[in-house]
Amino acid sequence: MKFKDKHRFVKSNMKRNKTRVWMTILASTMGCAFLIMLASVGFAIHKTAIDDVMSYRLMNEIEIQKENGPLVEKDVKNLEKVKNVKAVSGKKYVPASEMSLGEYTVYAEVNSANIPSERKAGLQLEKGRMPKSKNEVIIGHHFAQELRKEMPENFTEGMSEEEAQKKIKELAYDRDLLNQTLTYHMKVDQPESKIDAEIKTVQVKVVGIKEKPKKEWMIDSSVLITDDLRDEIMPLLSEMDPELKNSDDSYSTVKVYTSSAEEVKEVSEKIKDEGYLTYSVVSELKELNIYFTLFKAGLIFIGGIAVLIASIGIFNTMTMAVTERSQDIGIMKAIGATPKTIKRIFLLESGYIGLWGVGLGTILAYLISYGVNFALPIIVEQVMNEKPPEDFILSYIPWSLTAIAVTICMSVTLLSGWRPAAKATTVDVLKALRRDV
């Protein structure tokens, strides 16, 4: 018997019991959709966690620390010699934070860095260029909004928090800071260690503004100066705070960059062999992936129970089909159909039921997933009067989840139809023709 003959035979039989077949397909659809939707929650949480980690850290970045003290110039030179290291970014803290522009003042985190190394490390600017001379600086994206006029006494008294923030913003600098010259005040951060001395100033020019942080809640009002400028101003600061004369020339942060994320693991191992401590997104993601793989496997297992329950309906439908068509089976055997052919016919029928169930279940799951992700932010905002976290999704269905769900559902469907199909091959021809079965 050719495939198209089997297909025609199965199709006519399914039409004969249309209601029962469609109810079985409906059960399979619900089971498949439940499996995909349940697991999609785990995939969504995993994706949100990965995106969150990757949004503020680079995949090819390795943070370096030393167990027995701070990192110094010699350590940076050693790290630059490690094979496949693209760049080493080292920043030194500068203990003076006050800068001003006319009547506007800001207290910013100031660090110095080797500019060519920062360029190789991939420092991205929204405007301007990298510093080329000693007194040129790069500022953070939010530097201007932190640069404010002095706040009058009791300026926000009697205002709500929201009103106070709005009023404070009116004091902020509202023009472009690119190519503006700032006055850098040589005042140390610790007031208790100050001595009476004239406060000197250094003029610095803003030549670059860093990109806006990817996270909406992150505020970057930092300032990056050249190492040459730091070497010039540290003696001035030492006049204000004699303890700074004894400070070492250590780095506050050191990061190593590779050309690609694939090289991070190998480079991290080599750096560890040199006696340093390392941390990278890749190592964090490895632990996250193990945890979430177990979590998703658990959800798929629970969803699989729903598919098993649906398979009972398929087993029942196919068993009844075999019983009702015993005479047909007897006739087929009498005209030469082999048990193998009969088994394939009934497996084909259960397979069709499974395909319809999987297809409709997958489409239903995608529709529910889209609806949930669309409606959830609106519901949360209406009920809690707050917006949910940016980029948060409750359901995410990657192609791999669809493939897993289809494999599980079709396997369970064929196993459910296997026993009735095997039973069909045992029908006695004579009893069937006498309608005695």
Side-chain angles (χ1 to χ4, degrees):
M1 185 181 279
K2 294 180 180 177
F3 178 78
K4 69 177 183 181
D5 298 324
K6 294 176 188 172
H7 169 74
R8 195 181 301 122
F9 182 76
V10 169
K11 192 177 173 184
S12 65
N13 287 328
M14 289 177 74
K15 278 185 177 176
R16 208 182 300 165
N17 300 293
K18 198 182 295 181
T19 304
R20 188 172 66 203
V21 168
W22 275 109
M23 291 304 291
T24 309
I25 290 174
L26 180 62
S28 300
T29 301
M30 299 300 291
C32 181
F34 180 75
L35 167 63
I36 295 176
M37 279 306 301
L38 189 64
S40 73
V41 175
F43 277 86
I45 296 173
H46 188 185
K47 184 177 185 300
T48 303
I50 296 295
D51 290 347
D52 187 64
V53 171
M54 290 177 62
S55 64
Y56 60 93
R57 286 180 184 156
L58 297 174
M59 288 292 289
N60 64 336
E61 180 183 283
I62 307 170
E63 292 182 27
I64 309 295
Q65 289 291 333
K66 204 160 72 170
E67 202 166 4
N68 55 355
L71 293 151
V72 294
E73 191 65 31
K74 181 184 172 185
D75 298 306
V76 171
K77 297 292 182 190
N78 286 339
L79 292 168
E80 287 175 340
K81 292 176 185 174
V82 176
K83 189 180 176 184
N84 293 329
V85 168
K86 176 186 170 188
V88 179
S89 166
K91 290 188 175 65
K92 296 176 182 176
Y93 175 69
V94 181
S97 60
E98 184 177 344
M99 292 188 178
S100 64
L101 177 62
E103 55 186 338
Y104 296 89
T105 304
V106 65
Y107 294 90
E109 179 187 340
V110 182
N111 288 284
S112 72
N114 181 278
I115 300 303
S117 296
E118 291 301 312
R119 188 183 291 114
K120 283 177 69 179
L123 176 64
Q124 297 296 318
L125 299 180
E126 183 180 272
K127 288 182 182 177
R129 58 171 175 78
M130 303 295 279
K132 293 179 181 176
S133 62
K134 184 180 64 179
N135 283 47
E136 293 181 338
V137 301
I138 294 172
I139 59 175
H141 179 84
H142 299 99
F143 184 90
Q145 72 181 47
E146 300 296 317
L147 184 66
R148 302 191 189 108
K149 295 178 185 175
E150 186 178 356
M151 194 183 304
E153 193 174 349
N154 302 326
F155 183 66
T156 59
E157 189 174 344
M159 298 181 186
S160 65
E161 182 68 25
E162 189 177 347
E163 290 171 338
Q165 290 298 325
K166 189 176 178 182
K167 201 71 178 173
I168 290 172
K169 280 184 181 177
E170 293 176 2
L171 300 175
Y173 190 82
D174 59 356
R175 281 162 284 169
D176 192 0
L177 274 172
L178 192 64
N179 296 321
Q180 294 282 3
T181 299
L182 305 175
T183 302
Y184 190 11
H185 300 262
M186 297 298 102
K187 296 165 67 176
V188 292
D189 294 337
Q190 292 82 14
E192 65 276 5
S193 61
K194 292 179 185 175
I195 61 173
D196 293 331
E198 182 186 356
I199 297 174
K200 296 181 179 177
T201 59
V202 174
Q203 300 300 309
V204 293
K205 182 181 179 183
V206 178
V207 295
I209 300 175
K210 285 196 275 186
E211 278 190 335
K212 183 181 180 181
K214 292 179 181 176
K215 283 290 180 186
E216 194 174 341
W217 46 264
M218 287 180 73
I219 302 294
D220 182 8
S221 57
S222 63
V223 178
L224 191 65
I225 67 173
T226 61
D227 281 337
D228 291 340
L229 179 58
R230 185 180 188 275
D231 293 340
E232 179 185 308
I233 64 178
M234 284 305 288
L236 300 177
L237 294 173
S238 299
E239 293 175 10
M240 305 295 299
D241 183 0
E243 290 186 10
L244 291 175
K245 292 179 181 177
N246 303 320
S247 62
D248 55 22
D249 204 28
S250 61
Y251 288 89
S252 52
T253 61
V254 173
K255 294 177 181 176
V256 166
Y257 294 86
T258 61
S259 298
S260 65
E262 288 74 25
E263 295 173 342
V264 169
K265 186 179 178 184
E266 180 188 348
V267 171
S268 294
E269 293 298 325
K270 288 178 181 174
I271 293 174
K272 281 180 183 175
D273 293 341
E274 295 284 334
Y276 298 99
L277 304 174
T278 66
Y279 171 80
S280 66
V281 176
V282 172
S283 61
E284 185 173 342
L285 290 182
K286 185 179 176 183
E287 295 177 6
L288 271 177
N289 285 335
I290 292 172
Y291 170 76
F292 278 108
T293 299
L294 294 173
F295 180 56
K296 289 185 289 189
L299 292 178
I300 290 173
F301 176 75
I302 296 171
I305 294 174
V307 177
L308 284 174
I309 294 171
S311 72
I312 297 173
I314 297 173
F315 178 82
N316 186 49
T317 298
M318 294 309 300
T319 302
M320 291 182 71
V322 170
T323 304
E324 290 171 356
R325 295 177 210 155
S326 296
Q327 286 74 34
D328 296 338
I329 296 169
I331 293 170
M332 282 193 293
K333 277 189 169 182
I335 60 177
T338 63
K340 196 174 180 181
T341 302
I342 293 169
K343 183 186 276 187
R344 282 179 178 173
I345 288 172
F346 283 93
L347 282 177
L348 190 62
E349 186 169 336
S350 65
Y352 281 173
I353 293 173
L355 275 177
W356 273 100
V358 168
L360 293 176
T362 303
I363 294 171
L364 181 63
Y366 271 96
L367 290 175
I368 294 173
S369 176
Y370 176 79
V372 165
N373 289 330
F374 176 77
L376 184 69
I378 299 172
I379 295 171
V380 170
E381 195 169 352
Q382 291 295 324
V383 174
M384 303 179 68
N385 203 25
E386 285 185 8
K387 288 186 177 180
E390 191 182 6
D391 299 330
F392 177 80
I393 53 173
L394 185 64
S395 173
Y396 172 61
I397 308 175
W399 68 266
S400 56
L401 173 57
T402 305
I404 291 169
V406 168
T407 303
I408 291 175
C409 293
M410 286 306 299
S411 300
V412 171
T413 298
L414 292 176
L415 285 174
S416 302
W418 188 268
R419 176 62 186 155
K423 185 183 175 185
T425 63
T426 63
V427 172
D428 186 86
V429 178
L430 294 176
K431 286 184 177 179
L433 293 176
R434 289 200 305 266
R435 300 180 182 275
D436 195 22
V437 291

PDB file of all heavy atoms in Angstrom, residues 13 20 25 38 40 48 58 60 86 110 128 156-157 161 197 218 222 249 262 280 288 302 328 376 403 407 416-417 433:
ATOM      1  N   ASN A  13     -11.076   7.928   7.892  1.00  0.00           N
ATOM      2  CA  ASN A  13     -11.417   7.439   9.230  1.00  0.00           C
ATOM      3  C   ASN A  13     -11.502   8.573  10.252  1.00  0.00           C
ATOM      4  O   ASN A  13     -12.363   8.567  11.138  1.00  0.00           O
ATOM      5  CB  ASN A  13     -10.390   6.404   9.699  1.00  0.00           C
ATOM      6  CG  ASN A  13     -10.538   5.086   8.960  1.00  0.00           C
ATOM      7  OD1 ASN A  13     -11.649   4.703   8.575  1.00  0.00           O
ATOM      8  ND2 ASN A  13      -9.430   4.395   8.736  1.00  0.00           N
ATOM      9  N   ARG A  20     -14.679  13.335  18.097  1.00  0.00           N
ATOM     10  CA  ARG A  20     -13.750  12.694  19.042  1.00  0.00           C
ATOM     11  C   ARG A  20     -12.293  13.036  18.705  1.00  0.00           C
ATOM     12  O   ARG A  20     -11.481  13.321  19.595  1.00  0.00           O
ATOM     13  CB  ARG A  20     -13.953  11.178  19.002  1.00  0.00           C
ATOM     14  CG  ARG A  20     -13.183  10.447  20.085  1.00  0.00           C
ATOM     15  CD  ARG A  20     -13.584   8.983  20.109  1.00  0.00           C
ATOM     16  NE  ARG A  20     -13.181   8.302  18.879  1.00  0.00           N
ATOM     17  CZ  ARG A  20     -13.750   7.192  18.428  1.00  0.00           C
ATOM     18  NH1 ARG A  20     -14.772   6.649  19.066  1.00  0.00           N
ATOM     19  NH2 ARG A  20     -13.340   6.614  17.324  1.00  0.00           N
ATOM     20  N   ILE A  25      -7.329  16.264  19.687  1.00  0.00           N
ATOM     21  CA  ILE A  25      -6.372  17.288  19.228  1.00  0.00           C
ATOM     22  C   ILE A  25      -6.361  18.483  20.178  1.00  0.00           C
ATOM     23  O   ILE A  25      -5.309  19.042  20.496  1.00  0.00           O
ATOM     24  CB  ILE A  25      -6.734  17.737  17.790  1.00  0.00           C
ATOM     25  CG1 ILE A  25      -6.440  16.601  16.809  1.00  0.00           C
ATOM     26  CG2 ILE A  25      -5.965  18.992  17.393  1.00  0.00           C
ATOM     27  CD1 ILE A  25      -6.888  16.882  15.382  1.00  0.00           C
ATOM     28  N   LEU A  38       5.021  27.259  30.216  1.00  0.00           N
ATOM     29  CA  LEU A  38       5.670  27.091  31.525  1.00  0.00           C
ATOM     30  C   LEU A  38       7.181  27.226  31.395  1.00  0.00           C
ATOM     31  O   LEU A  38       7.828  27.948  32.165  1.00  0.00           O
ATOM     32  CB  LEU A  38       5.294  25.725  32.107  1.00  0.00           C
ATOM     33  CG  LEU A  38       5.713  25.481  33.566  1.00  0.00           C
ATOM     34  CD1 LEU A  38       4.983  26.443  34.496  1.00  0.00           C
ATOM     35  CD2 LEU A  38       5.418  24.042  33.977  1.00  0.00           C
ATOM     36  N   SER A  40       8.758  28.695  29.023  1.00  0.00           N
ATOM     37  CA  SER A  40       9.131  30.024  28.512  1.00  0.00           C
ATOM     38  C   SER A  40       9.366  31.022  29.639  1.00  0.00           C
ATOM     39  O   SER A  40      10.122  31.978  29.472  1.00  0.00           O
ATOM     40  CB  SER A  40       8.059  30.552  27.565  1.00  0.00           C
ATOM     41  OG  SER A  40       6.899  30.954  28.279  1.00  0.00           O
ATOM     42  N   THR A  48      16.598  37.535  30.811  1.00  0.00           N
ATOM     43  CA  THR A  48      16.652  38.823  31.507  1.00  0.00           C
ATOM     44  C   THR A  48      17.926  38.931  32.350  1.00  0.00           C
ATOM     45  O   THR A  48      18.587  39.977  32.366  1.00  0.00           O
ATOM     46  CB  THR A  48      15.418  38.990  32.412  1.00  0.00           C
ATOM     47  OG1 THR A  48      14.228  38.871  31.624  1.00  0.00           O
ATOM     48  CG2 THR A  48      15.415  40.340  33.095  1.00  0.00           C
ATOM     49  N   LEU A  58      31.335  44.246  29.550  1.00  0.00           N
ATOM     50  CA  LEU A  58      31.703  43.736  28.242  1.00  0.00           C
ATOM     51  C   LEU A  58      32.082  42.269  28.355  1.00  0.00           C
ATOM     52  O   LEU A  58      32.663  41.828  29.341  1.00  0.00           O
ATOM     53  CB  LEU A  58      32.886  44.544  27.709  1.00  0.00           C
ATOM     54  CG  LEU A  58      32.620  46.037  27.481  1.00  0.00           C
ATOM     55  CD1 LEU A  58      33.908  46.737  27.102  1.00  0.00           C
ATOM     56  CD2 LEU A  58      31.580  46.218  26.397  1.00  0.00           C
ATOM     57  N   ASN A  60      34.308  40.742  26.673  1.00  0.00           N
ATOM     58  CA  ASN A  60      35.756  40.501  26.540  1.00  0.00           C
ATOM     59  C   ASN A  60      36.559  41.199  27.626  1.00  0.00           C
ATOM     60  O   ASN A  60      37.745  41.447  27.468  1.00  0.00           O
ATOM     61  CB  ASN A  60      36.232  40.964  25.158  1.00  0.00           C
ATOM     62  CG  ASN A  60      36.073  42.458  24.975  1.00  0.00           C
ATOM     63  OD1 ASN A  60      35.253  43.085  25.625  1.00  0.00           O
ATOM     64  ND2 ASN A  60      36.864  43.036  24.091  1.00  0.00           N
ATOM     65  N   LYS A  86      44.434  42.202  24.291  1.00  0.00           N
ATOM     66  CA  LYS A  86      44.310  43.312  23.335  1.00  0.00           C
ATOM     67  C   LYS A  86      44.717  44.636  23.976  1.00  0.00           C
ATOM     68  O   LYS A  86      45.410  45.457  23.366  1.00  0.00           O
ATOM     69  CB  LYS A  86      42.856  43.387  22.860  1.00  0.00           C
ATOM     70  CG  LYS A  86      42.549  44.540  21.948  1.00  0.00           C
ATOM     71  CD  LYS A  86      41.047  44.566  21.678  1.00  0.00           C
ATOM     72  CE  LYS A  86      40.631  45.849  20.975  1.00  0.00           C
ATOM     73  NZ  LYS A  86      39.157  45.947  20.903  1.00  0.00           N
ATOM     74  N   VAL A 110      37.105  61.487  39.996  1.00  0.00           N
ATOM     75  CA  VAL A 110      38.150  61.759  39.003  1.00  0.00           C
ATOM     76  C   VAL A 110      39.160  60.620  39.008  1.00  0.00           C
ATOM     77  O   VAL A 110      39.653  60.209  40.062  1.00  0.00           O
ATOM     78  CB  VAL A 110      38.857  63.102  39.298  1.00  0.00           C
ATOM     79  CG1 VAL A 110      39.905  63.396  38.222  1.00  0.00           C
ATOM     80  CG2 VAL A 110      37.837  64.239  39.371  1.00  0.00           C
ATOM     81  N   GLY A 128      32.746  64.382  20.652  1.00  0.00           N
ATOM     82  CA  GLY A 128      34.127  64.806  20.828  1.00  0.00           C
ATOM     83  C   GLY A 128      35.144  63.747  20.447  1.00  0.00           C
ATOM     84  O   GLY A 128      34.883  62.867  19.642  1.00  0.00           O
ATOM     85  N   THR A 156      14.533  73.700  49.053  1.00  0.00           N
ATOM     86  CA  THR A 156      13.490  72.698  48.763  1.00  0.00           C
ATOM     87  C   THR A 156      12.555  72.477  49.954  1.00  0.00           C
ATOM     88  O   THR A 156      11.812  71.499  49.971  1.00  0.00           O
ATOM     89  CB  THR A 156      14.148  71.355  48.384  1.00  0.00           C
ATOM     90  OG1 THR A 156      14.983  70.924  49.476  1.00  0.00           O
ATOM     91  CG2 THR A 156      14.982  71.483  47.130  1.00  0.00           C
ATOM     92  N   GLU A 157      12.576  73.374  50.877  1.00  0.00           N
ATOM     93  CA  GLU A 157      11.748  73.200  52.084  1.00  0.00           C
ATOM     94  C   GLU A 157      10.251  73.217  51.723  1.00  0.00           C
ATOM     95  O   GLU A 157       9.788  74.056  50.954  1.00  0.00           O
ATOM     96  CB  GLU A 157      12.045  74.323  53.086  1.00  0.00           C
ATOM     97  CG  GLU A 157      11.395  74.085  54.439  1.00  0.00           C
ATOM     98  CD  GLU A 157      11.833  75.151  55.448  1.00  0.00           C
ATOM     99  OE1 GLU A 157      12.830  75.839  55.183  1.00  0.00           O
ATOM    100  OE2 GLU A 157      11.162  75.260  56.479  1.00  0.00           O
ATOM    101  N   GLU A 161       9.314  65.084  47.388  1.00  0.00           N
ATOM    102  CA  GLU A 161      10.565  64.594  46.800  1.00  0.00           C
ATOM    103  C   GLU A 161      10.617  64.873  45.303  1.00  0.00           C
ATOM    104  O   GLU A 161      11.637  65.309  44.769  1.00  0.00           O
ATOM    105  CB  GLU A 161      10.678  63.086  47.062  1.00  0.00           C
ATOM    106  CG  GLU A 161      11.950  62.446  46.547  1.00  0.00           C
ATOM    107  CD  GLU A 161      13.189  62.898  47.297  1.00  0.00           C
ATOM    108  OE1 GLU A 161      13.059  63.316  48.468  1.00  0.00           O
ATOM    109  OE2 GLU A 161      14.270  62.845  46.704  1.00  0.00           O
ATOM    110  N   ALA A 197      46.389  76.481  53.467  1.00  0.00           N
ATOM    111  CA  ALA A 197      47.244  76.762  52.311  1.00  0.00           C
ATOM    112  C   ALA A 197      46.361  77.303  51.196  1.00  0.00           C
ATOM    113  O   ALA A 197      45.152  77.079  51.191  1.00  0.00           O
ATOM    114  CB  ALA A 197      47.979  75.501  51.851  1.00  0.00           C
ATOM    115  N   MET A 218      21.648  54.178  35.931  1.00  0.00           N
ATOM    116  CA  MET A 218      23.067  54.482  36.164  1.00  0.00           C
ATOM    117  C   MET A 218      23.365  55.946  35.874  1.00  0.00           C
ATOM    118  O   MET A 218      22.935  56.482  34.857  1.00  0.00           O
ATOM    119  CB  MET A 218      23.954  53.578  35.303  1.00  0.00           C
ATOM    120  CG  MET A 218      24.000  52.135  35.780  1.00  0.00           C
ATOM    121  SD  MET A 218      25.054  51.103  34.749  1.00  0.00           S
ATOM    122  CE  MET A 218      26.668  51.693  35.246  1.00  0.00           C
ATOM    123  N   SER A 222      31.454  61.004  36.099  1.00  0.00           N
ATOM    124  CA  SER A 222      32.888  60.901  36.363  1.00  0.00           C
ATOM    125  C   SER A 222      33.704  61.749  35.384  1.00  0.00           C
ATOM    126  O   SER A 222      33.186  62.239  34.373  1.00  0.00           O
ATOM    127  CB  SER A 222      33.326  59.436  36.255  1.00  0.00           C
ATOM    128  OG  SER A 222      33.118  58.970  34.937  1.00  0.00           O
ATOM    129  N   ASP A 249      51.912  54.710  43.897  1.00  0.00           N
ATOM    130  CA  ASP A 249      51.396  55.005  42.560  1.00  0.00           C
ATOM    131  C   ASP A 249      50.565  53.834  42.045  1.00  0.00           C
ATOM    132  O   ASP A 249      50.695  53.430  40.896  1.00  0.00           O
ATOM    133  CB  ASP A 249      52.579  55.279  41.627  1.00  0.00           C
ATOM    134  CG  ASP A 249      52.155  56.133  40.438  1.00  0.00           C
ATOM    135  OD1 ASP A 249      51.193  56.911  40.581  1.00  0.00           O
ATOM    136  OD2 ASP A 249      52.768  55.988  39.370  1.00  0.00           O
ATOM    137  N   GLU A 262      35.624  34.634  23.023  1.00  0.00           N
ATOM    138  CA  GLU A 262      36.124  33.254  23.032  1.00  0.00           C
ATOM    139  C   GLU A 262      37.508  33.152  23.670  1.00  0.00           C
ATOM    140  O   GLU A 262      37.895  32.080  24.144  1.00  0.00           O
ATOM    141  CB  GLU A 262      36.192  32.713  21.594  1.00  0.00           C
ATOM    142  CG  GLU A 262      34.841  32.412  20.957  1.00  0.00           C
ATOM    143  CD  GLU A 262      34.089  33.667  20.561  1.00  0.00           C
ATOM    144  OE1 GLU A 262      34.747  34.712  20.333  1.00  0.00           O
ATOM    145  OE2 GLU A 262      32.844  33.623  20.519  1.00  0.00           O
ATOM    146  N   SER A 280      35.430  37.702  35.282  1.00  0.00           N
ATOM    147  CA  SER A 280      34.897  38.110  33.976  1.00  0.00           C
ATOM    148  C   SER A 280      33.427  37.742  33.884  1.00  0.00           C
ATOM    149  O   SER A 280      32.927  36.904  34.643  1.00  0.00           O
ATOM    150  CB  SER A 280      35.677  37.437  32.842  1.00  0.00           C
ATOM    151  OG  SER A 280      35.459  36.045  32.880  1.00  0.00           O
ATOM    152  N   LEU A 288      25.678  31.112  36.038  1.00  0.00           N
ATOM    153  CA  LEU A 288      24.255  31.412  35.804  1.00  0.00           C
ATOM    154  C   LEU A 288      23.624  30.364  34.890  1.00  0.00           C
ATOM    155  O   LEU A 288      22.503  29.907  35.126  1.00  0.00           O
ATOM    156  CB  LEU A 288      24.121  32.788  35.144  1.00  0.00           C
ATOM    157  CG  LEU A 288      24.003  34.000  36.061  1.00  0.00           C
ATOM    158  CD1 LEU A 288      23.960  35.265  35.234  1.00  0.00           C
ATOM    159  CD2 LEU A 288      22.764  33.910  36.931  1.00  0.00           C
ATOM    160  N   ILE A 302       7.818  19.466  34.486  1.00  0.00           N
ATOM    161  CA  ILE A 302       6.446  19.693  34.976  1.00  0.00           C
ATOM    162  C   ILE A 302       5.488  19.859  33.796  1.00  0.00           C
ATOM    163  O   ILE A 302       4.385  19.316  33.782  1.00  0.00           O
ATOM    164  CB  ILE A 302       6.406  20.942  35.891  1.00  0.00           C
ATOM    165  CG1 ILE A 302       7.253  20.681  37.147  1.00  0.00           C
ATOM    166  CG2 ILE A 302       4.973  21.277  36.289  1.00  0.00           C
ATOM    167  CD1 ILE A 302       7.462  21.906  38.003  1.00  0.00           C
ATOM    168  N   ASP A 328     -12.719  -3.761   9.268  1.00  0.00           N
ATOM    169  CA  ASP A 328     -11.883  -3.195   8.197  1.00  0.00           C
ATOM    170  C   ASP A 328     -10.490  -3.818   8.224  1.00  0.00           C
ATOM    171  O   ASP A 328      -9.896  -4.103   7.174  1.00  0.00           O
ATOM    172  CB  ASP A 328     -11.773  -1.678   8.362  1.00  0.00           C
ATOM    173  CG  ASP A 328     -13.118  -0.988   8.214  1.00  0.00           C
ATOM    174  OD1 ASP A 328     -14.010  -1.596   7.593  1.00  0.00           O
ATOM    175  OD2 ASP A 328     -13.265   0.138   8.719  1.00  0.00           O
ATOM    176  N   LEU A 376       1.488  42.720  30.363  1.00  0.00           N
ATOM    177  CA  LEU A 376       2.042  42.754  31.726  1.00  0.00           C
ATOM    178  C   LEU A 376       2.489  44.152  32.166  1.00  0.00           C
ATOM    179  O   LEU A 376       2.125  44.606  33.257  1.00  0.00           O
ATOM    180  CB  LEU A 376       3.200  41.763  31.842  1.00  0.00           C
ATOM    181  CG  LEU A 376       3.796  41.640  33.246  1.00  0.00           C
ATOM    182  CD1 LEU A 376       2.804  40.979  34.192  1.00  0.00           C
ATOM    183  CD2 LEU A 376       5.092  40.850  33.212  1.00  0.00           C
ATOM    184  N   ALA A 403      11.726  23.472  19.586  1.00  0.00           N
ATOM    185  CA  ALA A 403      12.217  22.161  19.116  1.00  0.00           C
ATOM    186  C   ALA A 403      12.072  21.104  20.210  1.00  0.00           C
ATOM    187  O   ALA A 403      11.657  19.955  19.942  1.00  0.00           O
ATOM    188  CB  ALA A 403      13.678  22.291  18.686  1.00  0.00           C
ATOM    189  N   THR A 407       9.578  17.836  19.991  1.00  0.00           N
ATOM    190  CA  THR A 407      10.155  16.485  20.134  1.00  0.00           C
ATOM    191  C   THR A 407       9.442  15.697  21.234  1.00  0.00           C
ATOM    192  O   THR A 407       9.076  14.524  21.044  1.00  0.00           O
ATOM    193  CB  THR A 407      11.657  16.596  20.461  1.00  0.00           C
ATOM    194  OG1 THR A 407      12.303  17.354  19.442  1.00  0.00           O
ATOM    195  CG2 THR A 407      12.294  15.222  20.550  1.00  0.00           C
ATOM    196  N   SER A 416       1.926   6.796  22.602  1.00  0.00           N
ATOM    197  CA  SER A 416       0.520   6.567  22.972  1.00  0.00           C
ATOM    198  C   SER A 416      -0.202   5.740  21.902  1.00  0.00           C
ATOM    199  O   SER A 416      -1.084   4.931  22.213  1.00  0.00           O
ATOM    200  CB  SER A 416      -0.208   7.900  23.154  1.00  0.00           C
ATOM    201  OG  SER A 416       0.435   8.670  24.125  1.00  0.00           O
ATOM    202  N   GLY A 417       0.156   5.958  20.645  1.00  0.00           N
ATOM    203  CA  GLY A 417      -0.515   5.229  19.564  1.00  0.00           C
ATOM    204  C   GLY A 417       0.110   3.880  19.270  1.00  0.00           C
ATOM    205  O   GLY A 417      -0.448   3.081  18.513  1.00  0.00           O
ATOM    206  N   LEU A 433     -14.209 -10.940  10.179  1.00  0.00           N
ATOM    207  CA  LEU A 433     -15.158 -11.046   9.082  1.00  0.00           C
ATOM    208  C   LEU A 433     -16.521 -11.533   9.569  1.00  0.00           C
ATOM    209  O   LEU A 433     -17.549 -11.220   8.977  1.00  0.00           O
ATOM    210  CB  LEU A 433     -14.605 -11.998   8.009  1.00  0.00           C
ATOM    211  CG  LEU A 433     -13.362 -11.478   7.271  1.00  0.00           C
ATOM    212  CD1 LEU A 433     -12.834 -12.524   6.300  1.00  0.00           C
ATOM    213  CD2 LEU A 433     -13.666 -10.183   6.528  1.00  0.00           C
TER     214      LEU A 433
END
